[in-house]
Amino acid sequence: MSYEESSHLARRFGLAISSSGLEVLTSPYAQTCQQEVASLLHKQCSLAMCRSKTRHSNKQGRKMVLQLDGVYVLGQPKEGHCPGLEVKSVVLYPQDSPNQRWLLADKCCAQELLPLVVGLVHQAKLSPEDTLIGLGDGAPWIDNAFHHLNALRITDVFHAVEYLELIMQAMNWDDDIRIQHRKLWCKGEVNARDWLEQHLPSPDIWSSWDEVSLTALTYIETRLDSMAYQTFKAKGFPIGSGQVEGMNKSVIGKRMKQSGMHWSDKGAAAMAALRAQTCAKHPLLAFDDFRFKAFSSP
């Protein structure tokens, strides 16, 4: 909740505490949470590095889904404008129990996030028999994390369809046909490689497309293996990154994108970490583990 909402709720229980007072109390709590989560996951990352990253086995294991994405919140005003700060969000869950989520969020660069993600996967006790499915929008930092973890990569189908739409427009397809093909992709009834082989015109035609259309084509052509949606659906794999996008909206956005809110880098990182652990089904830390560290007894 925002400090204003929390202060109003406290008054209903006869507790008089101002919004500024709540902020003073929350700051060390959130910062300690972020520090303790980072410390735990760095230790787990070190343990993971001692083991092989290969995941090949004839035994049947779990299917674990790892989704990564970024969401922007407003930074503090600088020279008349408010810069956007990217909070990176991570969701890890068993495919057959998506509500059993581990969550991680931080305002940091991709290089700093990677060991935290590795540690999170190790914390979830993945075995060589388990299949790790990496689902994201194809951003380089996300693909790099999946590559490092030796995950099976799947490009979010709804992002893929945005680029598909540009290609179909370049081919002058009418609205009804484009809608039909978008639905086929979103339902997982199409493999991108097969679709291009069947519908893409010859190079002498598409080479004359504008830069936007050619960029869209390159996006799909370089991710054909991760856009085998029909094959993935047949294996029971997810093809949409709705879990992490839901986290961006309900965990990060609901608390950090309210009207008038502006964040420092340090404040955004701390609050994002705290929100992730508060809303996770499997928090990485017990409440008292960092509550008493944030407010230690004399």
Side-chain angles (χ1 to χ4, degrees):
M1 305 174 78
S2 69
Y3 297 127
E4 183 178 353
E5 292 171 324
S6 301
S7 180
H8 177 73
L9 179 62
R11 286 195 296 271
R12 295 180 60 184
F13 289 89
L15 303 174
I17 184 167
S18 66
S19 297
S20 59
L22 282 168
E23 185 173 1
V24 170
L25 289 172
T26 303
S27 180
Y29 182 43
Q31 291 177 17
T32 302
C33 175
Q34 182 200 16
Q35 293 165 3
E36 292 298 305
V37 165
S39 177
L40 170 66
L41 294 183
H42 275 109
K43 290 178 182 177
Q44 292 295 329
C45 179
S46 298
L47 293 173
M49 292 298 98
C50 297
R51 301 183 179 182
S52 171
K53 294 186 292 183
T54 305
R55 300 184 183 280
H56 298 299
S57 175
N58 293 324
K59 297 181 180 179
Q60 185 67 33
R62 298 176 297 171
K63 294 183 178 71
M64 299 292 292
V65 182
L66 177 66
Q67 297 189 14
L68 282 70
D69 198 11
V71 57
Y72 282 89
V73 300
L74 283 179
Q76 294 179 340
K78 294 180 181 179
E79 299 179 356
H81 72 281
C82 299
L85 305 179
E86 185 182 31
V87 172
K88 291 181 171 61
S89 304
V90 182
V91 183
L92 177 66
Y93 61 92
Q95 180 182 313
D96 57 358
S97 301
N99 63 324
Q100 301 295 314
R101 294 182 287 266
W102 288 266
L103 303 181
L104 173 66
D106 207 331
K107 193 281 168 191
C108 61
C109 67
Q111 185 176 2
E112 294 171 330
L113 183 73
L114 181 56
L116 302 182
V117 177
V118 174
L120 181 67
V121 171
H122 191 260
Q123 177 75 11
K125 303 185 185 304
L126 266 72
S127 70
E129 292 78 28
D130 296 331
T131 299
L132 182 61
I133 303 166
L135 221 169
D137 62 11
W141 70 271
I142 295 176
D143 279 346
N144 180 60
F146 293 157
H147 174 75
H148 190 86
L149 288 160
N150 196 34
L152 170 66
R153 278 177 274 184
I154 299 179
T155 301
D156 171 57
V157 68
F158 300 105
H159 282 86
V161 164
E162 292 178 4
Y163 292 92
L164 171 70
E165 173 67 16
L166 296 173
I167 293 173
M168 293 190 295
Q169 290 179 9
M171 294 191 297
N172 296 317
W173 287 11
D174 63 38
D175 290 346
D176 291 339
I177 295 179
R178 297 203 310 273
I179 291 172
Q180 178 184 353
H181 282 262
R182 288 199 304 268
K183 287 181 177 179
L184 290 175
W185 279 57
C186 291
K187 290 179 179 179
E189 298 180 7
V190 173
N191 288 332
R193 189 184 304 276
D194 297 336
W195 190 92
L196 287 182
E197 290 178 356
Q198 182 176 357
H199 300 289
L200 187 67
S202 59
D204 61 308
I205 295 178
W206 61 253
S207 60
S208 63
W209 289 353
D210 60 32
E211 184 177 353
V212 172
S213 301
L214 289 174
T215 299
L217 179 58
T218 299
Y219 178 90
I220 291 181
E221 285 187 324
T222 55
R223 294 170 174 82
L224 294 177
D225 290 339
S226 64
M227 293 184 181
Y229 299 120
Q230 188 175 39
T231 300
F232 294 144
K233 287 287 284 187
K235 294 181 178 180
F237 297 160
I239 61 174
S241 58
Q243 289 284 343
V244 73
E245 292 181 18
M247 176 185 175
N248 286 342
K249 181 178 180 180
S250 62
V251 177
I252 304 301
K254 184 177 180 180
R255 175 62 182 84
M256 300 181 66
K257 298 180 73 171
Q258 297 189 42
S259 177
M261 286 187 175
H262 301 88
W263 300 89
S264 65
D265 285 6
K266 185 177 180 180
M271 181 55 72
L274 178 60
R275 283 290 295 173
Q277 296 314 304
T278 301
C279 298
K281 181 69 174 181
H282 298 288
L284 298 170
L285 302 170
F287 177 76
D288 288 341
D289 285 351
F290 56 97
R291 179 165 69 95
F292 288 111
K293 290 183 179 180
F295 303 101
S296 57
S297 301

